Amino acid sequence: MPYWTRKAAGALATLWLASMAVFLLLRLAPGDPVSAALGAEADQEQRDHLGRQLGVDRPLPAQYFSWLGGLLGGDPGLSFHYREPVTRMIGQSLGSTVQLALAAGLLMLVLGLLLGAALAAERRGRLARALDPLTTAVLALPVYVTAVLFVFVFAVLLRVLPAGGEKDLFTAPDLAVQYLALPAVALALPGSVVLARLLATELRRTRQEEFVLTAIAKGAPPRRILLRHVLPNSLAPFCVEFGLNLGELLGGAVVAEQLFARHGLGQLLLDAINQRDYPVAQTLIMLAVAVAVTVQLGSELLVGRLDPRIAHAGAGEAR
């Protein structure tokens, strides 16, 4: 079986298993949408009537396949709490989260590459020595602590950036970038440090490979050795890790949107879980899983492209 076919089949199986897990775990959690909507004082007749309206009185398999069919058809149903189409609610909050995720992902990629190159510098100067404890400190601090520190320094003490809120990127791009800066950097820093350390390790390892030592012995310029031999052969693990971190940004966005008062998908997901709004919550979680799986699939296919030995080895194992 071809490499990309096996990877795609694995991705589809992961999505199907995740849909069942998400559906069941939400219903195993304490509380239910009827109690969340009516409260504890409602009588049984009211509860039964609302349960029939929402469809939660049906057997779980029927509820699951009804939701899954709608999800695959692009219509996951109505919100239990607001009685609005789930797709419309997601569409209203999607722009804010996409802006934050793209900004954080771009920062994570750029910082990971730059810091990784600095940490792997052959002649470790003051910058490289200073980066080691700094990156350790960044990894030790949770996102919410980093975010609070950023707000205190840049919004309270220096007053150069807003502490929270958001602006539309198309109508006021200069203000939107200012509001994006702190949450994007807070989200990107932990992932960029992980990427930098991984890349630095791979760069040091690749420099000791025979083909690199041969190029050095032949007198090839250092820049050419780095760009044509060392860096391309060090990027495979970096790409996989970047895909994993990019897929996890939505989870971090939940915290960032709370701290920086942004009205994105993270805030919508928290509200849906608190209200036991199953259609909204399970659709948002599946959206996050689908993004993570797609990005991971893309990174693995890119790795197979960068290093054909991986694809050939996988094909051999499949036989």
Side-chain angles (χ1 to χ4, degrees), residues 6-28:
R6 289 187 294 105
K7 291 299 181 181
L12 290 175
T14 300
L15 288 173
W16 178 54
L17 292 174
S19 70
M20 291 192 293
V22 168
F23 180 86
L24 291 173
L25 287 175
L26 283 173
R27 285 156 179 76
L28 290 175

Side-chain angles (χ1 to χ4, degrees), residues 3-211:
Y3 178 74
W4 70 269
T5 305
R6 289 187 294 105
K7 291 299 181 181
L12 290 175
T14 300
L15 288 173
W16 178 54
L17 292 174
S19 70
M20 291 192 293
V22 168
F23 180 86
L24 291 173
L25 287 175
L26 283 173
R27 285 156 179 76
L28 290 175
D32 61 85
V34 173
S35 299
L38 297 179
E41 298 178 357
D43 58 37
Q44 190 60 42
E45 184 178 351
Q46 291 175 312
R47 295 175 62 84
D48 291 343
H49 177 69
L50 183 58
R52 286 192 297 271
Q53 280 189 325
L54 300 180
V56 295
D57 61 324
R58 296 181 298 163
L60 287 182
Q63 293 183 49
Y64 170 73
F65 286 110
S66 175
W67 166 69
L68 184 62
L71 187 64
L72 294 175
D75 182 17
L78 297 177
S79 161
F80 284 172
H81 186 77
Y82 296 102
R83 306 306 295 164
E84 290 185 22
V86 173
T87 51
R88 182 190 303 169
M89 295 178 64
I90 292 176
Q92 291 170 348
S93 301
L94 183 63
S96 176
T97 299
V98 168
Q99 291 175 20
L100 179 57
L102 288 177
L106 181 61
L107 277 172
M108 183 170 63
L109 177 63
V110 173
L111 288 175
L113 288 170
L114 294 178
L115 287 174
L119 288 171
E122 290 182 278
R123 297 179 180 178
R124 292 177 61 80
R126 293 180 181 178
L127 176 62
R129 288 196 297 270
L131 285 175
D132 279 333
L134 184 60
T135 55
T136 301
V138 170
L139 285 176
L141 294 176
V143 171
Y144 62 86
V145 175
T146 307
V148 170
L149 287 175
F150 282 171
V151 169
F152 179 71
V153 173
F154 294 101
V156 178
L157 289 182
L158 301 179
R159 297 186 179 182
V160 293
L161 290 171
E166 59 185 306
K167 295 292 182 181
D168 186 74
L169 187 62
F170 300 102
T171 58
D174 53 338
L175 291 176
V177 170
Q178 293 179 39
Y179 279 96
L180 265 174
L182 290 183
V185 174
L187 261 182
L189 269 183
S192 64
V193 169
V194 172
L195 289 173
R197 290 191 165 190
L198 179 62
L199 180 60
T201 301
E202 288 299 311
L203 287 173
R204 295 192 197 104
R205 180 191 62 78
T206 306
R207 281 200 188 105
Q208 305 305 316
E209 294 286 349
E210 186 175 341
F211 63 89

Side-chain angles (χ1 to χ4, degrees), residues 213-230:
L213 297 177
T214 301
I216 294 173
K218 289 182 177 180
R223 182 183 180 86
R224 182 178 180 182
I225 292 173
L226 175 64
L227 296 180
R228 295 195 60 180
H229 300 289
V230 177

